[in-house]
Amino acid sequence: MAKSCESECKKLHESRERPGQLAQILVRKSPIERREIREKYMAMYGEDLSNLLQKSTRGEAGVLSSVGGALWLWMLEPIEFDAVVAREALDQQSSETNYRALVEMFVGRKSSHVVMIKQAYLKRFRRQLDQDIGCIEPPHPFKKILVALVASHKAHHADVSQHIAKCDARRLYQTGEGRPGAIDEAVVLEILSKRSIPQLNLTFSSYKHIYGHDYTKSLKNGNYGEFEDALKVVVKCIYNPPKYYAQTLYGSIKGLTKDKGDLARVMMSRSEVDMDEIQRAFRKKYGMEMSEAMCERESNIPSGDYRDFLVALATKTQTIASALS
């Protein structure tokens, strides 16, 4: 890798003012390869490649809505990436709080990873992530759920229990669709704060087994409000991540969501996690490859370097997904 790494660093240096060419070189690199390139570039040119890319994003509203901003985050270590995404999600000066980005982080990362995200967040921004979440204004139902999820990473046990899952499923039913009126928020928040994500996944699976339908179906009552709407998003993310992310990506591609950065954020955060499963879920639900949807005339992504980068990310795992489906 040493010789090819040096050669690629020379190409990157020559293309440093052309984000599209940088993207072509970097998009298919693994986290280890990106780290090696970053270190080699520093040794050769005395500048952090990630910082170089960050400079190209200054003045932009939302770093994830441009190829320069996306590449900057792509070159960060995974922990750094999550810390920056968390800060941008909480930065209300640019827009309203991006609750989905925060939920995806606390649902989709292991507790050991979450601890390191908090450390990276403190080091980079001199702020406590938990405190920033607790200070979200104005109050929102998503905030209650996020606080519970933050607590769950501190309090849960590593092992999962079928017995606890069945008991929690029954409690959710008894304080939800099993009685008139809105669901009991206190019970839901207690369960979310005391159980691990794998344990919660098993609980929602048990709910479907016992009552014959997904827990989210019970949250579609017309009399329910914002808390139930927020809870439905969280449950979907916990119970069936590939389907949740496929729907999120489709909504972003078609311009159905407010946050223009959803697409790049999800593509990069799940790239080395479960993108092959997301690709299969996307194809099953929408009858096409994700890269095809991005390039359709109805797509909300204008042609250019940014779309080329996203398409390359999508096709990075497309072949694997097709082979496994």
Side-chain angles (χ1 to χ4, degrees):
M1 175 73 181
K3 287 187 177 180
S4 85
C5 185
E6 183 174 334
S7 173
E8 286 177 328
C9 285
K10 289 181 180 178
K11 292 178 182 177
L12 290 168
H13 189 67
E14 293 168 358
S15 305
R16 59 189 181 279
E17 301 297 332
R18 298 187 289 276
Q21 292 186 26
L22 293 174
Q24 291 176 23
I25 298 171
L26 297 171
V27 68
R28 297 188 184 279
K29 302 300 182 184
S30 70
I32 294 176
E33 290 172 330
R34 297 198 299 274
R35 184 185 305 122
E36 291 176 349
I37 287 173
R38 191 173 166 184
E39 291 172 352
K40 189 66 176 179
Y41 192 94
M42 171 64 84
M44 292 173 65
Y45 301 105
E47 184 171 12
D48 190 326
L49 181 57
S50 181
N51 291 342
L52 182 67
L53 292 166
Q54 185 181 15
K55 291 177 184 177
S56 69
T57 70
R58 289 176 181 171
E60 294 176 356
V63 297
L64 277 168
S65 55
S66 71
V67 66
L71 276 174
W72 163 48
L73 288 180
W74 183 240
M75 289 305 294
L76 294 176
E77 292 290 323
I79 302 297
E80 291 180 292
F81 173 93
D82 284 337
V84 172
V85 167
R87 185 65 203 140
E88 180 158 306
L90 287 161
D91 185 6
Q92 295 178 306
Q93 293 182 357
S94 58
S95 62
E96 61 186 32
T97 302
N98 189 337
Y99 293 106
R100 280 179 176 263
L102 294 167
V103 165
E104 290 164 11
M105 186 175 301
F106 282 99
V107 167
R109 304 304 191 199
K110 295 179 180 179
S111 293
S112 57
H113 190 120
V114 170
V115 170
M116 290 188 286
I117 293 171
K118 293 178 182 179
Q119 292 171 348
Y121 188 92
L122 176 61
K123 182 178 180 180
R124 180 178 279 267
F125 303 111
R126 299 291 187 264
R127 306 171 67 96
Q128 296 282 354
L129 179 55
D130 292 5
Q131 290 181 7
D132 282 354
I133 290 174
C135 293
I136 293 174
E137 293 292 343
H140 190 282
F142 259 123
K143 175 181 173 179
K144 299 178 184 178
I145 297 173
L146 276 170
V147 170
L149 291 174
V150 170
S152 76
H153 283 282
K154 300 175 182 177
H156 73 73
H157 299 288
D159 297 330
V160 296
S161 164
Q162 187 71 52
H163 173 70
I164 291 175
K166 290 179 180 178
C167 290
D168 285 347
R170 291 192 176 96
R171 287 187 72 197
L172 289 173
Y173 179 83
Q174 292 164 1
T175 57
E177 65 178 315
R179 67 169 197 169
I183 65 172
D184 189 331
E185 293 184 17
V187 171
V188 173
L189 293 173
E190 178 192 347
I191 291 174
L192 290 177
S193 66
K194 292 183 176 180
R195 309 297 186 227
S196 69
I197 300 304
Q199 182 67 54
L200 289 169
N201 187 297
L202 186 58
T203 293
F204 299 133
S205 179
S206 295
Y207 193 101
K208 183 172 184 178
H209 179 74
I210 296 170
Y211 301 108
H213 58 263
D214 290 339
Y215 178 56
T216 52
K217 185 177 180 181
S218 70
L219 302 175
K220 294 181 179 179
N221 188 312
N223 296 323
Y224 288 169
E226 287 187 330
F227 181 83
E228 288 79 10
D229 289 340
L231 180 60
K232 186 163 56 177
V233 171
V234 175
V235 172
K236 286 181 177 180
C237 191
I238 294 172
Y239 184 53
N240 193 336
K243 184 177 179 180
Y244 165 85
Y245 286 116
Q247 291 175 330
T248 298
L249 291 169
Y250 183 81
S252 186
I253 291 170
K254 294 299 182 181
L256 305 177
T257 58
K258 294 181 181 179
D259 182 17
K260 294 181 179 179
D262 273 349
L263 185 56
R265 184 190 74 249
V266 172
M267 292 292 294
M268 289 192 286
S269 68
R270 309 309 295 181
S271 178
E272 274 88 23
V273 181
D274 56 358
M275 185 52 71
D276 55 337
E277 297 176 50
I278 296 170
Q279 292 272 14
R280 292 199 299 274
F282 192 99
R283 189 187 310 111
K284 180 178 179 181
K285 185 168 181 64
Y286 302 109
M288 68 177 77
E289 299 290 352
M290 195 183 301
S291 56
E292 294 174 9
M294 291 178 182
C295 297
E296 280 190 327
R297 183 177 299 176
E298 298 81 8
S299 168
N300 191 49
I301 316 167
S303 59
D305 292 338
Y306 183 57
R307 188 173 77 177
D308 291 345
F309 173 73
L310 295 174
V311 169
L313 271 180
T315 55
K316 184 179 180 182
T317 54
Q318 186 171 301
T319 303
I320 299 173
S322 299
L324 294 175
S325 60

